[in-house]
Amino acid sequence: MKTRVLALTSISHFINDGNTWVLPTVYGFMTKYLGFSNFIVGLIGTVFFVLSALASPLVSYIADKTGKPMESMGLGIILWGIGLILLGFSLKIDSLPLVFLSTVIVGIASAFYHPLGAAALALTYQGSGGSALGINGAMGSLGRSLYPYITLVLFTIFNKNMMLDLVVIGVVSIIAALPSFTVKISFQQTKAKASTTAKASTYAVGILTLISLFRSIFTNGVSQFLTIILLDILGFSYNAFLGEVMTGILAAAIVGQPLLGYLSDIAGRRLLQGISTGGAVISFLLFIYLHNIWFLPLFGFFTFSNFSVTLSLTSDLVPRNSTGLANALVWGLGVSGGGALGPFIVGLLSDHSGLVQALLIVSVFGLISALMTPLIPRPPKRSKVPLFG
């Protein structure tokens, strides 16, 4: 049973995080072949992250009512497949309303995997699944890295037919989700007792949520436009080689995620939180001013290796019976909220001031986030970093 749960959650993590990066890859197609403005692309990114944040309570409700994390996880992956198939059709007929409808569907779908996959693994391994979480987290990073390349290879094979491209990716998602409905594990929610350290915990969660919000405005403002950055700033062509470059940028987190987790056990999570954000800002600014593409994998390393550190830091700052709510606030309001604002800001400003100027402006939010790190209270306890970002 353990092996099967690990295999299915890892496959779902691979597909969920991979599908998330299909969208920024397709944004380049939208601007190059359909004439979408950067503002529209930014708005699409905003809708995706807003729906992801708003769907989080829905996911919690489903989990509470059904008590079946594997089946609920499978439902989320199926929704991914349906949304991507609809997106392909909407691009084929060049229908902006359908593009936004498909974005709503995949935004909701993106809210399912992480809480439900984590719950399934926690139930299965009962606190002894450190290596399993490492494998699972690496599969998510691998999917995020490979899917831009897979998307553009299929785009080339299908003679620039993006609809067929997305239909294939969507159908694979649906098929891969079906075995999750055959695994029967369940859980029951227990009511948490009130914490005597509520005031301190509220401050800690509040400041970390704000720091995560500013960080995510920067990182998602940049990452959702990565394909367009490579097309417009460096003059890349929209082909399989572009996918290879995107994969190289994102693949750094496969190594970075366990490395930052290990270093945070030694040096402390507060320090690693600040270093990862500051490193992302500095590496991206070096890219903007020097136009040296080798700074983008460094940006990817610092950006996409941070999530497990952030959530572990949150867990260290609050009582154990408040961890779920605290993570929901930091992730939902902070990370997803910034993910909604960042692409919107870049899209809006780039149509008026240019893409580079817009990117420099959101970089300020990243710098503020890094400088706010000392405001985070020192954690009263230490926990192992879950390699599950």
Side-chain angles (χ1 to χ4, degrees):
M1 173 64 81
K2 286 185 177 181
T3 301
R4 193 173 185 190
V5 170
L6 175 60
L8 291 176
T9 55
S10 296
I11 290 170
S12 294
H13 202 177
F14 178 88
I15 290 175
N16 180 82
D17 285 23
N19 285 343
T20 300
W21 272 88
V22 169
L23 296 181
T25 306
V26 173
Y27 293 161
F29 174 84
M30 293 176 179
T31 59
K32 183 175 178 62
Y33 290 92
L34 301 181
F36 285 22
S37 67
N38 285 344
F39 173 71
I40 293 298
V41 168
L43 195 57
I44 292 170
T46 294
V47 170
F48 173 81
F49 281 103
V50 166
L51 265 296
S52 181
L54 293 178
S56 294
L58 172 64
V59 172
S60 298
Y61 177 80
I62 291 174
D64 287 342
K65 288 296 182 182
T66 66
K68 299 175 180 179
M70 292 296 289
E71 291 94 325
S72 299
M73 181 188 76
L75 174 61
I77 301 299
I78 287 175
L79 284 176
W80 261 117
I82 293 171
L84 290 176
I85 291 170
L86 179 60
L87 178 61
F89 177 74
S90 67
L91 294 177
K92 178 67 174 179
I93 64 174
D94 196 5
S95 171
L96 190 58
L98 281 182
V99 168
F100 277 102
L101 176 60
S102 63
T103 304
V104 169
I105 295 173
V106 297
I108 293 172
S110 69
F112 278 72
Y113 176 74
H114 285 95
L116 296 173
L121 285 168
L123 284 167
T124 302
Y125 285 88
Q126 296 294 320
S128 62
S131 60
L133 287 171
I135 294 171
N136 184 281
M139 285 295 288
S141 296
L142 185 63
R144 188 169 55 223
S145 303
L146 288 180
Y147 263 58
Y149 178 64
I150 292 172
T151 302
L152 288 171
V153 166
L154 290 175
F155 182 71
T156 302
I157 292 173
F158 295 141
N159 196 26
K160 299 182 179 180
N161 187 333
M162 185 57 77
M163 183 186 78
L164 190 55
D165 189 338
L166 293 176
V167 166
V168 169
I169 296 173
V171 169
V172 168
S173 298
I174 293 172
I175 293 173
L178 297 179
S180 298
F181 292 89
T182 66
V183 178
K184 305 300 180 183
I185 57 177
S186 62
F187 65 93
Q188 293 181 343
Q189 297 290 341
T190 57
K191 293 183 179 180
K193 296 179 180 179
S195 171
T196 57
T197 58
K199 186 174 181 180
S201 297
T202 299
Y203 168 77
V205 170
I207 197 66
L208 193 53
T209 298
L210 188 60
I211 288 172
S212 298
L213 176 73
F214 288 159
R215 184 184 197 277
S216 188
I217 288 174
F218 162 60
T219 56
N220 279 292
V222 172
S223 61
Q224 293 297 298
F225 279 84
L226 265 180
T227 303
I228 296 174
I229 288 170
L230 294 173
L231 291 171
D232 290 357
I233 296 179
L234 296 186
F236 275 67
S237 298
Y238 194 78
N239 53 29
F241 179 67
L242 175 65
E244 292 179 18
V245 173
M246 291 283 289
T247 292
I249 294 170
L250 299 171
I254 299 175
V255 176
Q257 188 164 248
L259 178 60
L260 286 192
Y262 172 75
L263 292 176
S264 74
D265 281 336
I266 298 173
R269 313 214 197 288
R270 283 202 325 163
L271 178 61
L272 263 295
Q273 176 76 18
I275 288 176
S276 67
T277 303
V281 174
I282 292 170
S283 57
F284 183 71
L285 291 178
L286 287 172
F287 162 75
I288 286 293
Y289 286 110
L290 300 178
H291 284 194
N292 187 329
I293 196 172
W294 291 106
F295 287 113
L296 287 181
L298 193 59
F299 166 79
F301 173 87
F302 285 117
T303 296
F304 302 111
S305 302
N306 176 260
F307 299 120
S308 57
V309 173
T310 298
L311 293 182
S312 293
L313 179 57
T314 305
S315 299
D316 285 346
L317 289 170
V318 300
R320 292 299 185 192
N321 58 15
S322 301
T323 298
L325 176 59
N327 280 341
L329 290 172
V330 173
W331 186 274
L333 293 181
V335 177
S336 295
L341 290 172
F344 179 79
I345 292 171
V346 173
L348 179 64
L349 295 179
S350 64
D351 276 358
H352 294 85
S353 305
L355 181 59
V356 172
Q357 186 68 27
L359 294 169
L360 289 175
I361 289 174
V362 294
S363 297
V364 174
F365 287 95
L367 181 60
I368 293 172
S369 176
L371 294 175
M372 289 177 66
T373 303
L375 298 177
I376 302 173
R378 293 188 180 278
K381 54 183 174 293
R382 304 290 294 274
S383 66
K384 294 294 183 180
V385 175
L387 305 179
F388 191 77

